[in-house]
Amino acid sequence: MRFALLFLAALLSMSTVAHAGDVVPFDDGWRFAKGDIARAEATAAADAGWQLVSTPHDWSIAGPFDEHALATGSGGFLPTGVAWYRKHFDLAPKARGKRLFIEFDGVMDRSGVWINGMHLGHRPNGYSSFRYELTPFLKDRDNVVAVRADTSAQPASRWYAGSGIYRHVRLIVSGDVHIDTWGTRVTTPSLDGPRATVKVESSILNESAAPRIGRLEVAILDPNGRTVGTALSQPMSLPAQRVTKLSAEAVLANARRWDIKDPALHRAIVRVVGEGGAELNRDEVTFGIRDARFEAATGFWLNGRNIKLKGAALHADGGALGMAVPLAFWERRLRGLQKLGVNAIRTAHHPFSPEVLDLCDRLGIIVMDEAFDMWTVAKNPHDYHLFFTDWSSIDARDFVRRDRNHPSVVIWSMGNEIHDTAYPVVTKSIIESLKAIFHEEDPTRPVTMALFRPNTTGDYQNGVAELLDVVGQNYREKELAKAHADKPTWKIVGTENSKNRESWLVVRDDPAYAGMFLWTGADYLGEADRSGWPAISNPSGLVDRTDVVKPEGLERASWWSEAPVISIARRITQRIDTSELPTMVGVAMPQPKGAGALADWTPADLSPHPEKVEVYSNAPEVELFLNGKSLGRKPRNADDRARQWETIFVPGSVRALGYDGKRKVGEAVLRTAGPAIALRLVSESTSVGHGFDDLAFVRVEAVDASGMVVPGAADEVSLSVTGAGNLVAFDNGAVADHTPFQSPIRKLKDGKALATVRGNGTNGSIQVTASAPGLKSASARIAAR
């Protein structure tokens, strides 16, 4: 079956929206086959038996997990290899004479793209977004785009990277005169109170045979969609086969600023207009008006306020969803981290998909946008170091051009723990080259990198750190503070930091420290090679793969959140005999000292024994009760240590009350759970759509007679999803569970698991049912839209 693209005729018939510059989704109707198939790029290749898929598509996440996988524990012991994608489409008659481009947000890895058997290009970096023009090779009917994605050379990454066309694909339709790839840049060169000057610059490519005359016409829309400013550039000659930059400025009298507390977004509607007023092309750019800067003595400032960056490094996988991550997953994760007080993220260690940055713009989350994990020195035998010399300038330029209009992005990072620093002459040359590209494409933001053991390689003395706009270092917070004390003109930021309290205190108490980025915000697939099989993921997050908050996350919230926080945990000083805790404690990265904590009042031993109770709270005073009896009231510790009480365990409840003077500001309770008697399903939404980015999250819990989640429950649960939807994935966050994520059968971990479902495009409702031997079944209903 061939898939015809009738969209062009539809778009061109709608005069209100049709213009030379339409963006058309190109995600549906791909055919997919694993294996390196000879001549699969040829138009006539036989693909009728290939699997029908939609992009984004990560085929590796389907497994199986294999101790002998070539990607090793770094890649989560999941499969890798070569795969092909093909898509057939027709051109509508009205599309003839237009230019057609295909744009990929990311193909993992070493991709090649063909149109009608003609090779368009190769991209070795699986995290790069890129665009190719299809026009010279198009036919009216049965055009075939073919993509080869190759992850066969392993190990190539230090974490799970996925395989295939794992991000969105689109077509872009334009005339001969059009704005170049990511060619519009919006800046605010002047901010004076509510008055703002907005400058719009567009790179115009004239692909016609003769010069043309063109100018920019710009309309600025405020967050409510009202036009609040307009601008015109002077008409200019646009030479044939050349790029010409046009710019225009608009003055806004009362501009609402983008801020973490008010993420107000403006839009610039940019029209390229030719002689006689004919529209040649248009672009639409979302941007924010804000003043973001780093100061040597006082750290980070946003709109005149000194803000400590309370950040978390994140990997791009979505746990059970792999690397093809719906936006609904990201929104749930980022909102959850915000509740813990996180106000910034670092993209570890590569460009993320553009919609994640869109989401950070909307949510008011600050971003450190990172480009590379290695330069010329390898971290794995088959990683990007093989391509850095030839491709890094291209990848860096595209990276900045793509992301520079996001107000959430306040700083660029050009590398993480780069091992080239052992060779300072080489390192300084690369820094100067990359920094020049970053500043050319975006002169408004500073550039940093995550220095790796700079005191060992002499980066603070040999001129390497001196080249950075903001000096960043991973861990060893006191070293960076000392470097700043020695050179007070340096601006500094913690690019990667442990969750130890001592690390936070250094950053908290030094005004020069702009902030820190914890390793990590969430557990992620891969980087399990140090733990080894059977581990498949790294458990270093504030939350697990299903976004259940760990005690470390609860404690962090008591330090970082501006809202009242109070929560309780049992401090575990001896390792206990479970399959998970030793792995969670023995992580490779620096983490909180001690064996950990458990947020429950249901120890394995229910007989009387000593317990140490911790309360994480930002309340000035906390009083703890055991079965209604006060164990005393304690003030907040100046060094942010958790408040602790030693007591003898008895079944029942521990309750903490937070006070600000006489005013109660919060309460938390832990109760002893009884045996599990039933399952409970908690749907976090009442309805769900059927698009890729739509997901409904259903929490699966084992509960006792009083409705308490039973921490030790590990029952095997069977899910049934019927009606107008399908099960997408089922996960419990366990580090060493090898059940396929698509399986409807999975054991609970700590009495919990998480199911994700999506509508199937039909009307009606989705019925989710959970059952387990010996437990009462549960069901939930979600409307499909």
Side-chain angles (χ1 to χ4, degrees), residues 326-370:
L327 197 57
F329 174 93
W330 276 115
E331 182 160 3
R332 182 178 187 263
R333 170 155 291 175
L334 292 178
R335 287 188 182 276
L337 290 173
Q338 282 183 304
K339 291 178 181 177
L340 301 182
V342 172
N343 63 18
I345 67 166
R346 171 188 177 215
T347 66
H349 303 286
H350 52 75
F352 274 29
S353 58
E355 62 266 22
V356 177
L357 299 184
D358 291 339
L359 185 58
C360 290
D361 292 342
R362 295 197 298 272
L363 296 180
I365 296 175
I366 291 166
V367 176
M368 175 184 287
D369 208 359
E370 192 156 80

Side-chain angles (χ1 to χ4, degrees), residues 290-340:
R290 87 288 189 273
D291 174 27
R293 55 192 170 89
F294 290 80
E295 296 290 349
T298 52
F300 179 70
W301 292 76
L302 182 65
N303 298 324
R305 300 192 335 275
N306 193 196
I307 294 173
K308 192 72 78 173
L309 295 177
K310 302 169 182 176
L314 291 175
H315 274 285
D317 71 274
L321 303 165
M323 286 290 284
V325 189
L327 197 57
F329 174 93
W330 276 115
E331 182 160 3
R332 182 178 187 263
R333 170 155 291 175
L334 292 178
R335 287 188 182 276
L337 290 173
Q338 282 183 304
K339 291 178 181 177
L340 301 182

Side-chain angles (χ1 to χ4, degrees), residues 670-712:
L670 293 179
R671 294 184 174 87
T672 307
I677 66 166
L679 293 174
R680 178 170 63 201
L681 295 184
V682 181
S683 177
E684 297 180 1
S685 56
T686 58
S687 65
V688 66
H690 61 274
F692 171 80
D693 286 314
D694 296 308
L695 282 181
F697 300 89
V698 182
R699 301 198 303 272
V700 184
E701 301 169 342
V703 298
D704 66 7
S706 65
M708 281 278 298
V709 175
V710 180

Side-chain angles (χ1 to χ4, degrees), residues 26 30 35-45 50 82-89 101-104 107 109-123 130-139 142-150 165 169 171:
F26 204 61
W30 289 90
D36 201 2
I37 301 168
R39 298 290 297 159
E41 78 280 5
T43 303
W50 291 20
V82 177
W84 281 88
Y85 295 80
R86 286 167 56 87
K87 179 163 177 170
H88 297 252
F89 66 99
F101 301 82
I102 189 167
E103 189 169 278
F104 295 87
V107 181
D109 199 23
R110 307 185 187 193
S111 64
V113 180
W114 290 258
I115 176 70
N116 296 330
M118 301 299 296
H119 186 238
L120 297 174
H122 167 71
R123 201 72 177 220
F130 54 91
R131 179 189 297 185
Y132 297 126
E133 184 168 0
L134 307 178
T135 312
F137 315 109
L138 288 173
K139 304 179 295 183
D142 196 20
N143 295 283
V144 180
V145 173
V147 179
R148 183 182 185 272
D150 182 3
I165 307 177
V169 189
L171 291 183

